[in-house]
Amino acid sequence: MSAVLDVNVVGIVRVTHAFLPLLRTSSNPVIVNVSSGMGSFGMTQDPARVESQYALPLYSASKAAVTMLTTQYARELKGVKVNAADPGQTATDFTGGLGHTVTEGADSIVALATIGPDGPTGQFIDRTGNLPW
């Protein structure tokens, strides 16, 4: 449990605070946290979603924490856009090769990383748009 939370949650806190001074020098500071639909109550309870087919308690809890950190940092870090992206089920070793390509999984991350100064903050999206929490 500690290893999963250390990487997925504590790691975000450490990196955010380490890079915040540099981000503050940017004219358009943006943070994109990589979360997962596995951390969404709405998606893990919807039988039509692939997320409802798996039981991954520690991973899911860590990703729920990522989305909450996102909303809290979006409120706390004035002038910094903080959002969370869900790459979806991506064909990697972690998923046993199931899912879409890594390039497709990166779509939501790239979209949030390249938002303009008038872009959203505190959002949770995948490649199709906003997601339920």
Side-chain angles (χ1 to χ4, degrees):
M1 176 178 75
S2 295
V4 172
L5 294 175
D6 193 44
V7 170
N8 289 346
V9 182
V10 177
I12 286 175
V13 174
R14 287 181 178 144
V15 169
T16 298
H17 288 274
F19 280 92
L20 199 52
L22 185 59
L23 282 166
R24 294 258 185 235
T25 68
S26 172
S27 61
N28 185 35
V30 174
I31 295 172
V32 180
N33 294 320
V34 179
S35 192
S36 170
M38 290 300 297
S40 162
F41 281 90
M43 293 164 65
T44 58
Q45 299 302 309
D46 180 352
R49 298 287 310 209
V50 68
E51 293 85 356
S52 71
Q53 307 305 309
Y54 298 99
L56 301 168
L58 298 177
Y59 178 78
S60 296
S62 73
K63 292 304 184 173
V66 170
T67 54
M68 185 53 69
L69 279 173
T70 299
T71 64
Q72 295 304 299
Y73 278 144
R75 288 177 185 249
E76 179 185 358
L77 303 177
K78 302 298 182 210
V80 179
K81 305 245 179 344
V82 186
N83 293 291
D86 174 11
Q89 188 175 26
T90 304
T92 63
D93 291 344
F94 183 71
T95 65
L98 297 174
H100 52 250
T101 68
V102 172
T103 301
E104 291 169 322
D107 288 348
S108 61
I109 299 166
V110 172
L112 287 174
T114 57
I115 60 174
D118 60 343
T121 192
Q123 300 297 302
F124 180 33
I125 73 160
D126 69 3
R127 55 197 317 255
T128 64
N130 285 335
L131 296 172
W133 292 42

